[in-house]
Amino acid sequence: MKEKTKQKDSRENLLYLAWIAAVLSMFGSLYFSEIREFVPCTLCWYQRILMYPFVIILGIAVIRKDFKITFYTMILSGFGACISIYHYSKQKLANIFESSVSCGPVPCTGEYINWLGFITIPFMALVGFIIIFTCSLIIWKKTKEMNE
């Protein structure tokens, strides 16, 4: 019985961590676009479209302690991570993508920031998606174990 309580507590903490990652990712992207006035490219918009709903979905899940939502957040964050990896690759492997079509009025190969030579906006989005995916996966597995 005590083990189930510990697992429940860790699942709540992981759900909260995933929500915090979503909130920080959302406010980070809004900071770059609204305060720093960086115009988002098309791939940035796709990443935002996948990230922003997590703030509401995971926020409700935290309040209701709904661990079943993690199956869906795992899938959506997986898609978001794939887009982020593609976008980051497009930035960092520009020679490969030179012949590719521009993805909109703002080129997806552009780097507004490049901290430490590898941290760009798509990289930060990727970290957010990975945190949400990992937390969701752990919660999903623990929930399945508890139900067996």
Side-chain angles (χ1 to χ4, degrees):
M1 184 71 162
K2 199 169 194 170
E3 185 178 319
K4 283 190 177 186
T5 307
K6 281 184 183 179
Q7 283 185 339
K8 184 180 178 201
D9 291 342
S10 68
R11 291 185 308 158
E12 288 177 20
N13 292 338
L14 287 168
L15 196 60
Y16 186 68
L17 176 63
W19 178 71
I20 291 294
V23 169
L24 290 175
S25 296
M26 182 186 75
F27 282 121
S29 72
L30 289 172
Y31 166 77
F32 285 126
S33 64
E34 300 304 314
I35 295 173
R36 298 285 302 271
E37 297 182 358
F38 297 158
V39 179
C41 70
T42 303
L43 290 175
C44 287
W45 277 113
Y46 293 155
Q47 291 165 82
R48 286 176 176 207
I49 289 167
L50 288 168
M51 182 62 75
Y52 286 13
F54 285 134
V55 175
I56 296 167
I57 293 168
L58 289 168
I60 293 169
V62 166
I63 292 167
R64 295 185 66 205
K65 295 176 181 36
D66 181 7
F67 303 115
K68 292 178 184 173
I69 196 71
T70 56
F71 179 75
Y72 305 106
T73 58
M74 196 169 38
I75 293 169
L76 287 174
S77 61
F79 282 126
C82 289
I83 294 171
S84 294
I85 289 168
Y86 175 71
H87 191 185
Y88 187 68
S89 299
K90 226 175 156 163
Q91 283 183 334
K92 293 300 181 182
L93 306 172
N95 340 359
I96 295 172
F97 292 101
E98 276 181 8
S99 61
S100 68
V101 180
S102 177
C103 65
V106 177
C108 294
T109 55
E111 296 179 22
Y112 286 115
I113 63 166
N114 191 3
W115 298 331
L116 303 174
F118 71 96
I119 300 173
T120 63
I121 294 172
F123 180 84
M124 289 187 280
L126 176 61
V127 170
F129 284 121
I130 288 172
I131 290 169
I132 294 168
F133 180 85
T134 305
C135 291
S136 297
L137 179 64
I138 294 168
I139 294 167
W140 183 68
K141 283 184 175 182
K142 286 184 178 190
T143 302
K144 278 184 72 173
E145 288 171 6
M146 289 176 76
N147 291 333
E148 289 178 354

